């Protein structure tokens, strides 16, 4: 036997001894063959080898390879088993039913899954379909109206809200019957409202949301009733109104496509929930109508 | 033996192949990230006004993850959210913060030619979906940040944003103009340990694509050739990287393009990168100034307030540039001094040797410039106490450099023999300096880790990778050479740990504009009819009223012999309701509200916050070289305590001293709102007035990410100054510049 052959033979013999030792040594309790993809099960639920390998590699790297491989493997497996036990415990406790945060996260995840699947399908995403959608829903694409308004402000003086309201009422009454109101009735406004065609968000910045919302409901020339606001009352009149225009379909194509996809996602969610309600027993207590 | 050698050789080959594959995976597995696509759904449309100015709110300082620092902050190991493309900035501005205009200002040093194209494409798309350009939903401007940093005060000019009026290729330079040197090197990853970088994608395997994309982005940047120097910018090839070493060269290159632009300095007191001892002085020289372009200064941002001047400095500089450590004074301890005290606390016994170590520590601290803290190994953030900070300033920037304060800049003059004193004329604005593509983040105080630059490692393991293993305290300081400092990874030089307590949600610029369109807003900026707020939408008017009752708005300059009457009016912000308006959710969906807006939008209610007081600051212009500057700054010259009135505060005043003293003067006002909680409102959260004990709000895992570190502050608005030039024989105040 040559020198190299002796080495090969010695290696083979050693390998055989190791194999025999492995065969003869009793297996640790609980260790079974779970297949190549699963490293453990916890009450039947698998812990995947891919997850184990990733965590093991990370731990070995974090410790610069100084940790004993067996110790690292045991530590990682322990941790993964602990996590699974906690998930199962949480499920048994019904945390997904009781804990607001867990519930919210579950709802969000399910919602995302359903709507995204629908939104990402491009089937039916053709110009004819989009045009039909645009024609059926002009409100989604029409510009908001712009308003030019006059505003009079009646401050609550010395905490007398009733006085401010009286002055505002008198001012409105005078204007409505065509008389020239007493110029001393209103107070200087907190902010000068620009004499300009303004959209609702900008009106809101100057007047507050309540007054700007009221303006949107008035016709040209129409005077509002006194509107309670911070520090007093506003009275407003629409001087000029430009209804929102609907841009041509071609100019809005990207916008229409985006809205259509979003609507498709919403429809998918609605259909899903309707179908689930059909399949699910839902009972409502007496005195409440079933929604 | 031969077989063994062959086997060994095969093994070595396998290992080498594995390393090469790994290396190439790091360097080729990534991709340059794009600008994204804007949500094409319009919010409520807006229209052009007629005749009267209206107040519009905006943010002219916003970064996407095209900026290297923003990209790094977005990485998973620092708890980042991932990419923040340009499209997100547009959608956030339209739907979440609901501001009227913004600008993208990524670091020019980090913009590859491809990314510059992406910026332009994305901003153009944002403007396109905003509707009628004469009456847009929102206006988006294109710009960049020229991010100059000098190692020593003589070499430092600081960062400036360059904002362009137009959008077309004929209205924009072919490429951004960057600054060479420290910041430029940092943006291309100089000094980063490549071995450490290579292992990161494998250690965070699930998120590896983000890290690979960062490497790809850096490769694209460094792959572009440098433009030749001394060549007209218009003659340079389109895909080279262009640099301007100082403001003079920046202005020269902009002149070559002949394109209208605003150049806005910011962070002028920010000691995070501004060297100790820095002052604005050399930028008052005509060669380093451009009064046509440099018309505004960003007084406040998410990186803090740069308004207030102080007489102290972080270092005493001799004419030859050498520095000595000043002694502490009331309200300020220089960090070089604190370095000595930390070393003193480590002495085994007092005595000569200990004193020598203390002096050495102070010198070593100063030698290391902005990285002075690394001269004292093992010192913690708590060890530094409140050193280097302006403890009596209002939310000041970190490691305050008063020589860059807006008040100082306005007071200071430039003097040349035979020439009249030269001063600068600047309007005041504020911004977010947001690095997460979220313009106008100051509307609510929440989500510290998403709406401010607070960042840091998510765990001690990543901490060790980013910052290196913690160092043990040593009895002596370490003397760093300049070569060592410049070759180090940038995040190891700056004191990011301590800085994290100073990041705020940011401010807004407000314009009194004659319309909503791009030109009207730009004209208002150029005319300085602007003011800044610390985030809330405070409404502010500040006018000089002349003898003919003509109103000259903030930002105006007047010739006068006597003081005009000044009128101030301020209205507090509308108190915010929680959540978002239904129209936002209808437009972009609940998922996007959660992701982009972090669940909260600008959502005003009916009530207004109270304006508690209005303060007037008066600044006399320095008349001769050597005149002490600090006494010229009177803050506050006047204070008006406002009545408890939700309909706002009004105040008027005149200044008879102007005629008596017969010298040029500047006035601006601060409208101060009632106290409300703010993210990092307490900054280092000093336990006492002298800040001998701190409780930092860390950006890393040491402070829970859900902790917004809220503390009450007084939000405020700063008007642009009104400039009075004393002219002895002038008629009643007449406008020189600024009246609409």
């Amino acid at each position: 036997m040559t020198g190299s052959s002796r080495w090969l033979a010695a290696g083979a013999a050693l390998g055989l001894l190791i194999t025999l030792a492995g065969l003869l040594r009793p297996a640790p309790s609980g260790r079974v063959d779970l297949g190549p993809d699963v490293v453990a099960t916890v009450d039947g639920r698998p812990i995947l080898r891919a997850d184990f390998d990733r965590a093991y590699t990370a731990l070995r790297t974090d410790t610069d390879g100084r940790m004993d491989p067996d110790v690292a493997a045991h530590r990682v497996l322990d941790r993964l088993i602990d996590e699974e036990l906690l998930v199962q415990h949480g499920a048994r406790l019904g945390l997904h039913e009781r804990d607001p945060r867990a519930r919210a996260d579950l709802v969000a995840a399910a919602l995302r899954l359903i709507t995204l699947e629908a939104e990402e399908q491009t089937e039916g995403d053709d110009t004819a379909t989009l045009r039909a959608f645009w024609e059926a829903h002009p409100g989604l694409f029409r510009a908001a109206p712009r308003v030019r308004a006059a505003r009079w402000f009646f401050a609550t003086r010395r905490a007398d809200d009733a006085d401010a309201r009286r002055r505002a009422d008198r001012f409105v009454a005078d204007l409505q019957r065509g008389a020239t109101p007493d110029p001393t009735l209103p107070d200087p406004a907190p902010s000068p409202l620009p004499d300009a065609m303004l959209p609702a968000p900008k009106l809101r910045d100057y007047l507050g949301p309540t007054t700007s919302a009221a303006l949107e409901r008035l016709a040209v020339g129409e005077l509002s009733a006194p509107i309670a606001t911070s520090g007093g009352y506003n009275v407003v009149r629409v001087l000029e109104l430009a209804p929102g225009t609907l841009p041509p379909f071609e100019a809005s194509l990207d916008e229409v496509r985006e809205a259509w996809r979003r609507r498709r996602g919403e429809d998918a969610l609605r259909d899903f929930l309707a179908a689930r309600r059909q399949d699910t027993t839902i009972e409502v207590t007496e005195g409440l109508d079933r929604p | 033996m031969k077989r063994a050698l062959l086997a060994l050789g095969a093994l070595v080959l396998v290992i080498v192949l594995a390393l090469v594959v790994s290396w190439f995976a790091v360097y080729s597995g990534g991709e340059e990230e794009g600008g994204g696509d804007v949500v094409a759904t319009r919010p409520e449309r807006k229209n052009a006004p007629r005749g009267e100015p209206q107040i519009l709110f905006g943010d002219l300082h916003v970064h996407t993850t095209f900026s290297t620092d923003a990209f790094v902050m977005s990485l998973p190991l620092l708890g980042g959210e991932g990419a923040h493309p340009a499209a997100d900035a547009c959608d956030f501005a339209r739907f979440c913060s609901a501001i009227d205009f913004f600008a993208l200002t990524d670091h020019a040093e980090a913009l590859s030619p491809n990314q510059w194209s992406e910026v332009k494409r994305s901003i153009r798309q944002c403007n396109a979906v905003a509707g009628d350009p004469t009456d847009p939903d929102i206006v988006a401007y294109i710009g960049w940040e020229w991010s100059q940093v000098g190692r020593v005060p003589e070499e430092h000019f600081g960062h400036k944003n360059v904002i362009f009026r137009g959008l077309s290729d004929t209205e924009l330079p072919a490429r951004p103009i960057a600054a060479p040197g420290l910041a430029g090197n940092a943006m291309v990853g100089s000094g980063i340990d490549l071995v450490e970088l290579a292992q990161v994608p494998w250690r965070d395997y699930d998120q590896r694509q983000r890290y690979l994309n960062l490497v790809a982005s850096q490769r694209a940047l460094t792959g572009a050739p440098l433009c030749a120097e001394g060549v007209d910018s218009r003659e340079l090839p389109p895909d080279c990287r262009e640099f301007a070493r100082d403001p003079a060269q920046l202005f020269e290159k902009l002149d070559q393009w002949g394109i209208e632009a605003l150049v806005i300095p910011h962070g002028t007191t920010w000691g995070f990168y501004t060297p100790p001892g820095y002052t604005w002085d050399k930028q008052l020289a005509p060669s380093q100034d451009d009064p046509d372009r440099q018309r505004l200064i960003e007084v406040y941002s998410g990186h803090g307030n740069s308004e207030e001047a102080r007489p102290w400095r972080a270092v005493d500089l001799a004419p030859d540039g050498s520095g000595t450590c000043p002694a502490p004074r009331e309200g300020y301890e220089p960090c070089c001094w604190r370095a000595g005290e930390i070393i003193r606390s480590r002495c085994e016994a007092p005595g000569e040797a200990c004193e020598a170590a203390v002096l050495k520590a102070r010198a070593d601290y100063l030698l290391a410039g902005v990285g002075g803290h690394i001269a004292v190994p093992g010192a913690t953030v708590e060890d530094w106490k409140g050193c280097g900070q302006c403890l009596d300033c209002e939310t000041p920037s970190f490691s305050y450099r008063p020589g860059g304060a807006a008040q100082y800049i306005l007071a200071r003059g430039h003097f040349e023999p035979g020439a009249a004193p030269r001063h600068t004329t600047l309007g005041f604005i504020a911004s977010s300096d947001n690095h997460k593509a979220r313009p106008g983040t100051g509307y609510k105080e929440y989500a510290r880790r998403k709406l401010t630059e607070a960042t840091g490692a998510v765990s001690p393991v990543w901490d060790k990778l980013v910052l290196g293993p913690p160092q043990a305290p040593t009895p002596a300081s370490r003397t760093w050479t300049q070569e060592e400092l410049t070759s180090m990874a940038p995040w190891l030089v700056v004191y990011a740990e301590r800085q994290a307590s100073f990041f705020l949600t940011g401010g807004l610029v407000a314009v009194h504009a004659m319309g909503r369109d791009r030109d009207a807003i730009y004209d208002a900026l150029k005319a300085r009819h602007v003011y800044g707020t610390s985030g809330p939408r405070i409404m502010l008017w500040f006018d000089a009223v002349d003898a003919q009752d003509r109103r000259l708005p903030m930002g105006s300059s007047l010739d006068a012999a006597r003081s005009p009457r000044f009128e101030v009016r301020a209205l507090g912000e509308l108190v915010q309701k929680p959540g978002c308006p239904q129209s936002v959710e209808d437009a972009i969906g609940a998922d996007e509200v959660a992701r982009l807006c972090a669940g909260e939008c600008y959502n005003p209610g009916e009530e207004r916050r109270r304006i508690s007081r209005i303060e007037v600051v008066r600044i006399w212009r320095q008349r001769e070289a050597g005149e002490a500057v600090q006494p010229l700054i009177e803050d506050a010259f006047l204070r008006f305590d406002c009545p408890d009135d939700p309909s706002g505060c009004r105040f008027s005043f005149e200044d008879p001293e102007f005629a008596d003293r017969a010298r040029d003067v500047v006035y601006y006002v601060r409208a101060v709102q009632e106290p409300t909680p703010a993210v990092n409102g307490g900054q280092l959260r000093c336990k006492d007035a002298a800040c001998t004990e701190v409780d930092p709000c860390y950006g890393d895992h040491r402070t829970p990410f859900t902790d917004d570190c809220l503390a009450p502050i007084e939000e405020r608005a700063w008007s642009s100054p009104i400039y009075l030039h004393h002219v002895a024989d002038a008629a009643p105040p007449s406008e020189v510049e600024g009246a609409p």
Side-chain angles (χ1 to χ4, degrees), chain A residues 8 62 146 195-196 202 205-206 210 255 262, chain B residues 40 42 47 49-50 55 100 587 606 608:
Chain A
L8 281 172
D62 280 355
R146 286 90 69 196
D195 179 20
K202 201 39 74 175
D205 278 349
Y206 281 96
T210 306
E255 191 177 341
R262 188 164 290 122
Chain B
R42 296 199 179 97
N47 209 349
R50 28 174 258 204
I55 295 177
D100 300 296
E606 199 64 38
R608 286 198 181 270

PDB file of all heavy atoms in Angstrom, chain A residues 8 62 146 195-196 202 205-206 210 255 262, chain B residues 40 42 47 49-50 55 100 587 606 608:
ATOM      1  N   LEU A   8      -5.803   7.375   2.770  1.00  0.00           N
ATOM      2  CA  LEU A   8      -7.190   7.234   2.342  1.00  0.00           C
ATOM      3  C   LEU A   8      -7.885   6.147   3.141  1.00  0.00           C
ATOM      4  O   LEU A   8      -9.015   6.300   3.569  1.00  0.00           O
ATOM      5  CB  LEU A   8      -7.246   6.910   0.843  1.00  0.00           C
ATOM      6  CG  LEU A   8      -7.045   8.097  -0.094  1.00  0.00           C
ATOM      7  CD1 LEU A   8      -6.917   7.646  -1.537  1.00  0.00           C
ATOM      8  CD2 LEU A   8      -8.216   9.080   0.033  1.00  0.00           C
ATOM      9  N   ASP A  62     -22.875  37.200  14.367  1.00  0.00           N
ATOM     10  CA  ASP A  62     -22.862  38.195  15.441  1.00  0.00           C
ATOM     11  C   ASP A  62     -21.785  37.891  16.462  1.00  0.00           C
ATOM     12  O   ASP A  62     -21.210  38.794  17.066  1.00  0.00           O
ATOM     13  CB  ASP A  62     -24.214  38.218  16.169  1.00  0.00           C
ATOM     14  CG  ASP A  62     -25.248  39.014  15.391  1.00  0.00           C
ATOM     15  OD1 ASP A  62     -24.860  39.608  14.359  1.00  0.00           O
ATOM     16  OD2 ASP A  62     -26.411  39.032  15.795  1.00  0.00           O
ATOM     17  N   ARG A 146     -64.398  77.302  -6.539  1.00  0.00           N
ATOM     18  CA  ARG A 146     -63.668  78.393  -5.916  1.00  0.00           C
ATOM     19  C   ARG A 146     -64.651  79.486  -5.540  1.00  0.00           C
ATOM     20  O   ARG A 146     -65.630  79.715  -6.238  1.00  0.00           O
ATOM     21  CB  ARG A 146     -62.614  78.956  -6.879  1.00  0.00           C
ATOM     22  CG  ARG A 146     -61.415  78.048  -7.061  1.00  0.00           C
ATOM     23  CD  ARG A 146     -61.586  77.092  -8.173  1.00  0.00           C
ATOM     24  NE  ARG A 146     -61.583  77.737  -9.458  1.00  0.00           N
ATOM     25  CZ  ARG A 146     -62.018  77.150 -10.567  1.00  0.00           C
ATOM     26  NH1 ARG A 146     -62.484  75.924 -10.532  1.00  0.00           N
ATOM     27  NH2 ARG A 146     -61.983  77.804 -11.709  1.00  0.00           N
ATOM     28  N   ASP A 195     -59.381  89.254  -1.092  1.00  0.00           N
ATOM     29  CA  ASP A 195     -60.414  89.435  -2.111  1.00  0.00           C
ATOM     30  C   ASP A 195     -59.975  88.636  -3.333  1.00  0.00           C
ATOM     31  O   ASP A 195     -59.417  89.172  -4.285  1.00  0.00           O
ATOM     32  CB  ASP A 195     -60.555  90.921  -2.447  1.00  0.00           C
ATOM     33  CG  ASP A 195     -61.608  91.174  -3.514  1.00  0.00           C
ATOM     34  OD1 ASP A 195     -62.462  90.301  -3.708  1.00  0.00           O
ATOM     35  OD2 ASP A 195     -61.545  92.244  -4.165  1.00  0.00           O
ATOM     36  N   ALA A 196     -60.212  87.347  -3.281  1.00  0.00           N
ATOM     37  CA  ALA A 196     -59.680  86.459  -4.314  1.00  0.00           C
ATOM     38  C   ALA A 196     -60.530  85.197  -4.360  1.00  0.00           C
ATOM     39  O   ALA A 196     -61.234  84.869  -3.400  1.00  0.00           O
ATOM     40  CB  ALA A 196     -58.228  86.100  -4.002  1.00  0.00           C
ATOM     41  N   LYS A 202     -57.996  76.733   1.522  1.00  0.00           N
ATOM     42  CA  LYS A 202     -57.442  78.044   1.863  1.00  0.00           C
ATOM     43  C   LYS A 202     -58.472  78.857   2.647  1.00  0.00           C
ATOM     44  O   LYS A 202     -58.134  79.584   3.584  1.00  0.00           O
ATOM     45  CB  LYS A 202     -57.000  78.753   0.590  1.00  0.00           C
ATOM     46  CG  LYS A 202     -55.975  79.870   0.769  1.00  0.00           C
ATOM     47  CD  LYS A 202     -54.888  79.604   1.787  1.00  0.00           C
ATOM     48  CE  LYS A 202     -53.838  78.627   1.364  1.00  0.00           C
ATOM     49  NZ  LYS A 202     -52.740  78.507   2.363  1.00  0.00           N
ATOM     50  N   ASP A 205     -58.178  77.866   6.184  1.00  0.00           N
ATOM     51  CA  ASP A 205     -57.052  78.463   6.910  1.00  0.00           C
ATOM     52  C   ASP A 205     -57.427  79.842   7.447  1.00  0.00           C
ATOM     53  O   ASP A 205     -56.996  80.239   8.519  1.00  0.00           O
ATOM     54  CB  ASP A 205     -55.821  78.610   5.994  1.00  0.00           C
ATOM     55  CG  ASP A 205     -55.039  77.311   5.875  1.00  0.00           C
ATOM     56  OD1 ASP A 205     -55.321  76.378   6.644  1.00  0.00           O
ATOM     57  OD2 ASP A 205     -54.151  77.229   5.001  1.00  0.00           O
ATOM     58  N   TYR A 206     -58.219  80.578   6.682  1.00  0.00           N
ATOM     59  CA  TYR A 206     -58.572  81.938   7.106  1.00  0.00           C
ATOM     60  C   TYR A 206     -59.787  81.963   8.023  1.00  0.00           C
ATOM     61  O   TYR A 206     -59.854  82.758   8.952  1.00  0.00           O
ATOM     62  CB  TYR A 206     -58.857  82.812   5.875  1.00  0.00           C
ATOM     63  CG  TYR A 206     -57.624  83.312   5.185  1.00  0.00           C
ATOM     64  CD1 TYR A 206     -57.092  82.661   4.083  1.00  0.00           C
ATOM     65  CD2 TYR A 206     -56.969  84.464   5.632  1.00  0.00           C
ATOM     66  CE1 TYR A 206     -55.950  83.119   3.457  1.00  0.00           C
ATOM     67  CE2 TYR A 206     -55.826  84.932   5.001  1.00  0.00           C
ATOM     68  CZ  TYR A 206     -55.325  84.259   3.914  1.00  0.00           C
ATOM     69  OH  TYR A 206     -54.197  84.718   3.282  1.00  0.00           O
ATOM     70  N   THR A 210     -65.676  75.383   9.981  1.00  0.00           N
ATOM     71  CA  THR A 210     -67.141  75.507  10.009  1.00  0.00           C
ATOM     72  C   THR A 210     -67.621  76.580   9.034  1.00  0.00           C
ATOM     73  O   THR A 210     -68.561  76.363   8.264  1.00  0.00           O
ATOM     74  CB  THR A 210     -67.610  75.833  11.438  1.00  0.00           C
ATOM     75  OG1 THR A 210     -67.079  74.862  12.333  1.00  0.00           O
ATOM     76  CG2 THR A 210     -69.127  75.837  11.529  1.00  0.00           C
ATOM     77  N   GLU A 255     -54.852  59.859 -13.771  1.00  0.00           N
ATOM     78  CA  GLU A 255     -55.658  60.011 -12.562  1.00  0.00           C
ATOM     79  C   GLU A 255     -56.832  59.035 -12.579  1.00  0.00           C
ATOM     80  O   GLU A 255     -57.173  58.424 -11.566  1.00  0.00           O
ATOM     81  CB  GLU A 255     -56.166  61.457 -12.541  1.00  0.00           C
ATOM     82  CG  GLU A 255     -56.795  61.892 -11.244  1.00  0.00           C
ATOM     83  CD  GLU A 255     -57.191  63.358 -11.315  1.00  0.00           C
ATOM     84  OE1 GLU A 255     -56.661  64.081 -12.184  1.00  0.00           O
ATOM     85  OE2 GLU A 255     -58.026  63.754 -10.507  1.00  0.00           O
ATOM     86  N   ARG A 262     -57.992  51.782  -7.570  1.00  0.00           N
ATOM     87  CA  ARG A 262     -58.337  51.867  -6.148  1.00  0.00           C
ATOM     88  C   ARG A 262     -59.775  51.405  -5.937  1.00  0.00           C
ATOM     89  O   ARG A 262     -60.087  50.694  -4.995  1.00  0.00           O
ATOM     90  CB  ARG A 262     -58.163  53.304  -5.659  1.00  0.00           C
ATOM     91  CG  ARG A 262     -58.323  53.400  -4.154  1.00  0.00           C
ATOM     92  CD  ARG A 262     -57.793  54.697  -3.571  1.00  0.00           C
ATOM     93  NE  ARG A 262     -56.352  54.775  -3.635  1.00  0.00           N
ATOM     94  CZ  ARG A 262     -55.688  55.746  -4.251  1.00  0.00           C
ATOM     95  NH1 ARG A 262     -56.311  56.715  -4.862  1.00  0.00           N
ATOM     96  NH2 ARG A 262     -54.382  55.743  -4.273  1.00  0.00           N
TER      97      ARG A 262
ATOM     98  N   ALA B  40     -51.937  59.877  -8.748  1.00  0.00           N
ATOM     99  CA  ALA B  40     -52.528  60.768  -9.743  1.00  0.00           C
ATOM    100  C   ALA B  40     -53.923  61.205  -9.373  1.00  0.00           C
ATOM    101  O   ALA B  40     -54.681  61.623 -10.223  1.00  0.00           O
ATOM    102  CB  ALA B  40     -52.525  60.067 -11.097  1.00  0.00           C
ATOM    103  N   ARG B  42     -56.281  63.917  -7.590  1.00  0.00           N
ATOM    104  CA  ARG B  42     -56.154  65.281  -7.120  1.00  0.00           C
ATOM    105  C   ARG B  42     -56.929  65.458  -5.828  1.00  0.00           C
ATOM    106  O   ARG B  42     -58.044  65.005  -5.713  1.00  0.00           O
ATOM    107  CB  ARG B  42     -56.714  66.248  -8.150  1.00  0.00           C
ATOM    108  CG  ARG B  42     -55.967  66.253  -9.437  1.00  0.00           C
ATOM    109  CD  ARG B  42     -56.252  67.522 -10.225  1.00  0.00           C
ATOM    110  NE  ARG B  42     -55.489  67.497 -11.454  1.00  0.00           N
ATOM    111  CZ  ARG B  42     -55.970  67.099 -12.625  1.00  0.00           C
ATOM    112  NH1 ARG B  42     -57.204  66.698 -12.721  1.00  0.00           N
ATOM    113  NH2 ARG B  42     -55.212  67.088 -13.697  1.00  0.00           N
ATOM    114  N   ASN B  47     -57.433  77.759  -6.870  1.00  0.00           N
ATOM    115  CA  ASN B  47     -57.537  78.653  -8.003  1.00  0.00           C
ATOM    116  C   ASN B  47     -56.746  79.929  -7.763  1.00  0.00           C
ATOM    117  O   ASN B  47     -56.404  80.257  -6.634  1.00  0.00           O
ATOM    118  CB  ASN B  47     -59.001  79.012  -8.264  1.00  0.00           C
ATOM    119  CG  ASN B  47     -59.224  79.298  -9.724  1.00  0.00           C
ATOM    120  OD1 ASN B  47     -58.268  79.419 -10.489  1.00  0.00           O
ATOM    121  ND2 ASN B  47     -60.463  79.418 -10.121  1.00  0.00           N
ATOM    122  N   PRO B  49     -56.065  83.752  -7.211  1.00  0.00           N
ATOM    123  CA  PRO B  49     -56.834  84.852  -6.662  1.00  0.00           C
ATOM    124  C   PRO B  49     -56.689  86.074  -7.551  1.00  0.00           C
ATOM    125  O   PRO B  49     -56.036  86.024  -8.584  1.00  0.00           O
ATOM    126  CB  PRO B  49     -56.173  85.102  -5.324  1.00  0.00           C
ATOM    127  CG  PRO B  49     -54.746  84.783  -5.586  1.00  0.00           C
ATOM    128  CD  PRO B  49     -54.723  83.695  -6.641  1.00  0.00           C
ATOM    129  N   ARG B  50     -57.342  87.177  -7.170  1.00  0.00           N
ATOM    130  CA  ARG B  50     -57.132  88.389  -7.908  1.00  0.00           C
ATOM    131  C   ARG B  50     -56.922  89.523  -6.946  1.00  0.00           C
ATOM    132  O   ARG B  50     -57.779  89.806  -6.166  1.00  0.00           O
ATOM    133  CB  ARG B  50     -58.312  88.697  -8.820  1.00  0.00           C
ATOM    134  CG  ARG B  50     -59.644  88.157  -8.361  1.00  0.00           C
ATOM    135  CD  ARG B  50     -60.735  88.630  -9.217  1.00  0.00           C
ATOM    136  NE  ARG B  50     -61.443  89.714  -8.555  1.00  0.00           N
ATOM    137  CZ  ARG B  50     -62.692  90.015  -8.845  1.00  0.00           C
ATOM    138  NH1 ARG B  50     -63.332  89.342  -9.767  1.00  0.00           N
ATOM    139  NH2 ARG B  50     -63.284  91.004  -8.225  1.00  0.00           N
ATOM    140  N   ILE B  55     -51.744  84.335   2.135  1.00  0.00           N
ATOM    141  CA  ILE B  55     -50.635  83.649   2.795  1.00  0.00           C
ATOM    142  C   ILE B  55     -50.617  82.197   2.339  1.00  0.00           C
ATOM    143  O   ILE B  55     -51.617  81.483   2.456  1.00  0.00           O
ATOM    144  CB  ILE B  55     -50.767  83.735   4.331  1.00  0.00           C
ATOM    145  CG1 ILE B  55     -50.646  85.190   4.787  1.00  0.00           C
ATOM    146  CG2 ILE B  55     -49.686  82.889   5.002  1.00  0.00           C
ATOM    147  CD1 ILE B  55     -50.844  85.390   6.284  1.00  0.00           C
ATOM    148  N   ASP B 100     -48.809  74.443   0.401  1.00  0.00           N
ATOM    149  CA  ASP B 100     -49.079  75.039  -0.904  1.00  0.00           C
ATOM    150  C   ASP B 100     -47.902  74.931  -1.867  1.00  0.00           C
ATOM    151  O   ASP B 100     -48.087  75.038  -3.081  1.00  0.00           O
ATOM    152  CB  ASP B 100     -49.442  76.517  -0.718  1.00  0.00           C
ATOM    153  CG  ASP B 100     -50.683  76.700   0.151  1.00  0.00           C
ATOM    154  OD1 ASP B 100     -51.765  76.254  -0.281  1.00  0.00           O
ATOM    155  OD2 ASP B 100     -50.560  77.251   1.263  1.00  0.00           O
ATOM    156  N   ALA B 587     -58.905  59.968  -1.158  1.00  0.00           N
ATOM    157  CA  ALA B 587     -57.996  60.197  -2.286  1.00  0.00           C
ATOM    158  C   ALA B 587     -56.901  59.137  -2.371  1.00  0.00           C
ATOM    159  O   ALA B 587     -56.571  58.654  -3.443  1.00  0.00           O
ATOM    160  CB  ALA B 587     -57.385  61.586  -2.186  1.00  0.00           C
ATOM    161  N   GLU B 606     -61.683  74.199  14.698  1.00  0.00           N
ATOM    162  CA  GLU B 606     -62.270  75.542  14.704  1.00  0.00           C
ATOM    163  C   GLU B 606     -61.505  76.515  15.584  1.00  0.00           C
ATOM    164  O   GLU B 606     -61.426  77.703  15.292  1.00  0.00           O
ATOM    165  CB  GLU B 606     -63.717  75.436  15.194  1.00  0.00           C
ATOM    166  CG  GLU B 606     -64.577  76.629  14.842  1.00  0.00           C
ATOM    167  CD  GLU B 606     -64.757  76.803  13.353  1.00  0.00           C
ATOM    168  OE1 GLU B 606     -64.897  75.792  12.643  1.00  0.00           O
ATOM    169  OE2 GLU B 606     -64.744  77.955  12.875  1.00  0.00           O
ATOM    170  N   ARG B 608     -58.472  78.448  17.635  1.00  0.00           N
ATOM    171  CA  ARG B 608     -57.100  78.888  17.359  1.00  0.00           C
ATOM    172  C   ARG B 608     -56.304  78.919  18.659  1.00  0.00           C
ATOM    173  O   ARG B 608     -56.840  79.202  19.726  1.00  0.00           O
ATOM    174  CB  ARG B 608     -57.088  80.289  16.747  1.00  0.00           C
ATOM    175  CG  ARG B 608     -57.539  80.305  15.296  1.00  0.00           C
ATOM    176  CD  ARG B 608     -57.129  81.562  14.592  1.00  0.00           C
ATOM    177  NE  ARG B 608     -57.592  81.574  13.215  1.00  0.00           N
ATOM    178  CZ  ARG B 608     -56.892  81.095  12.187  1.00  0.00           C
ATOM    179  NH1 ARG B 608     -55.693  80.584  12.383  1.00  0.00           N
ATOM    180  NH2 ARG B 608     -57.385  81.127  10.968  1.00  0.00           N
TER     181      ARG B 608
END
